[in-house]
Amino acid sequence: MYYFSMYIILMGFVGVIMLCIDKYKATHEKWRIKEKTLHILEFLGGVFLMLPAMYLIRHKCRKIQYYWITYTALIAWVVGIWYISSKQIL
C-alpha cells in the first residue's frame, strides 16, 4: 500500500508540474504540451492532484471535452481502487 500511495503522489506531482508548464506556455504564447500527454498522466494516476490544480490555476477551464476525459480518468481510478480494496488485493 505504501508504494501504491507513493506512486499516486509522484504521478500527481509530475502531472501538476506539466499542467503548470502548459499554463505558463499558454500565457506566453509558446509551444504547448499536448492534451494527450496530460491525459496520459491523468490515467497513470496523476488525476488526483491534477484535477484540483486545474481549478486552482484556472487552466483548461473552457474545454468541456478535456473535463470529460479528466473525470473519466477520475471515475476509472476510484472504481479501480474500490474494486481492489473490496477484494483486498493491495
Side-chain angles (χ1 to χ4, degrees):
M1 186 68 176
Y2 172 77
Y3 292 113
F4 178 73
S5 301
M6 294 308 296
Y7 170 78
I8 295 295
I9 292 169
L10 176 66
M11 291 309 295
F13 279 127
V14 170
V16 169
I17 289 168
M18 295 293 280
L19 200 63
C20 290
I21 290 170
D22 190 50
K23 171 71 174 189
Y24 174 82
K25 289 182 175 191
T27 57
H28 290 87
E29 298 180 3
K30 295 187 177 192
W31 173 82
R32 305 277 305 275
I33 296 171
K34 293 180 181 180
E35 286 185 5
K36 183 178 181 180
T37 304
L38 296 174
H39 286 312
I40 289 170
L41 287 169
E42 291 168 353
F43 277 99
L44 288 175
V47 70
F48 296 107
L49 293 180
M50 290 176 73
L51 188 61
M54 284 170 47
Y55 288 107
L56 188 64
I57 66 173
R58 309 195 97 223
H59 190 49
K60 303 286 185 190
C61 294
R62 296 182 186 165
K63 295 200 169 211
I64 299 300
Q65 182 181 7
Y66 190 88
Y67 277 98
W68 277 103
I69 297 171
T70 300
Y71 277 101
T72 301
L74 178 66
I75 291 167
W77 269 98
V78 169
V79 168
I81 290 171
W82 171 79
Y83 177 77
I84 289 171
S85 65
S86 70
K87 300 292 182 185
Q88 297 182 359
I89 295 172
L90 289 180

